[in-house]
Amino acid sequence: MTQRPSRIEEGIKIIEKCWQDGPFSHESKRFSFSNIDVTPKPVQRPIPIYIGAFEEPAVRRAGRLGYPLLIGPGRTVPMIMDTLGWYNDEAEKADRDPAAAEHILLRETYVHETMEEATVGGTEYIINMYRFYLSLGVKIVIRGKNITDPDDPFFEYMAEDRFMIGTPEHCAEEVRKYGQKTGIQNIMCRMVFPQAPAEVIARSIQLFGNRVIPEFR
């Protein structure tokens, strides 16, 4: 665990070398390779790299390195703004333009024709998934409270300002809200959940595709 920072920085450099033409050698603190050639080579040049970071030091590292963030679904809008502040501060210190980083915001998303059914499904498939995450030791903060008990009543507010659970119209408003409040224009929706039947997932995706996405074309 203590080697995470150096491993990710060196690992990114190695991955980028793998995508370049021809063989290469690499010698560093954590990794050593001699005359290797990774094939096939990518058609897209360059391939964008996004960094998933939650704690402040990791976010600042991404800003210093200049890679945009993949901002996870556990962050509320105020938390997202704190994250962007750390990133921008470190990017500027490294003489990088923070505005050049096109971050991606990841949101858990469940769509249904009615709010009532969406809430039921969102609780069953998403909120309960986070209860399970909590049992694995994942840090969850709801309304400023560090949650330690899966049965904590604060889980009632888990989706608040985090997840897009509702009708197509509600989800479209949520997309607009995140764009307006954070300035992030790229949203990635996670719509497949372990406990959800395939037909339920397909219906949610279809509703989002037919009635939410057209609002932003």
Side-chain angles (χ1 to χ4, degrees):
M1 294 294 284
T2 59
Q3 297 177 5
R4 287 181 300 171
S6 59
R7 284 187 176 275
I8 191 171
E9 290 195 34
E10 293 178 20
I12 290 173
K13 293 177 182 178
I14 292 169
I15 289 171
E16 290 180 324
K17 288 182 179 180
C18 289
W19 292 337
Q20 297 173 3
D21 293 325
F24 72 94
S25 297
H26 179 90
E27 186 71 35
S28 61
K29 184 177 180 180
R30 303 297 179 193
F31 302 100
S32 178
F33 303 104
S34 179
N35 196 36
I36 65 169
D37 193 7
V38 178
T39 58
K41 298 299 183 184
V43 173
Q44 183 179 355
R45 304 286 184 93
I47 293 179
I49 293 177
Y50 296 86
I51 292 184
F54 186 84
E55 300 295 345
E56 181 177 348
V59 173
R60 287 185 175 275
R61 184 183 310 117
R64 173 171 55 81
L65 297 175
Y67 297 101
L69 293 169
L70 176 59
I71 301 177
R75 292 176 178 83
T76 61
V77 168
M79 295 168 73
I80 294 168
M81 299 313 296
D82 286 342
T83 297
L84 295 177
W86 300 332
Y87 183 97
N88 294 347
D89 179 59
E90 206 64 28
E92 290 172 352
K93 290 179 181 177
D95 292 326
R96 299 184 184 279
D97 179 10
E102 295 188 5
H103 305 298
I104 293 178
L105 181 60
L106 179 61
R107 300 283 92 173
E108 311 284 13
T109 304
Y110 181 74
V111 191
H112 203 282
E113 288 87 349
T114 69
M115 284 298 296
E116 292 77 12
E117 290 296 330
T119 301
V120 171
T123 299
E124 181 177 358
Y125 306 130
I126 302 177
I127 306 304
N128 286 343
M129 180 176 69
Y130 276 81
R131 294 180 193 272
F132 175 70
Y133 287 166
L134 182 68
S135 72
L136 298 179
V138 172
K139 180 181 179 181
I140 295 179
V141 178
I142 303 176
R143 291 192 171 186
K145 180 182 179 181
N146 190 26
I147 305 300
T148 58
D149 181 0
D151 294 322
D152 193 309
F154 264 55
F155 261 103
E156 176 185 351
Y157 310 110
M158 180 71 202
E160 187 178 74
D161 208 19
R162 280 188 173 96
F163 309 150
M164 296 196 297
I165 298 173
T167 63
E169 293 74 22
H170 172 80
C171 290
E173 285 303 312
E174 289 291 284
V175 171
R176 293 188 185 94
K177 178 190 75 174
Y178 288 118
Q180 292 167 358
K181 290 189 174 182
T182 71
I184 297 174
Q185 299 302 309
N186 304 297
I187 293 183
M188 179 185 297
C189 298
R190 182 160 64 180
M191 305 181 73
V192 178
F193 309 106
Q195 302 302 317
E199 60 272 16
V200 171
I201 294 170
R203 183 178 62 200
S204 177
I205 292 173
Q206 187 174 42
L207 279 171
F208 194 90
N210 290 341
R211 294 172 56 184
V212 179
I213 291 177
E215 294 290 318
F216 302 93
R217 286 176 177 163

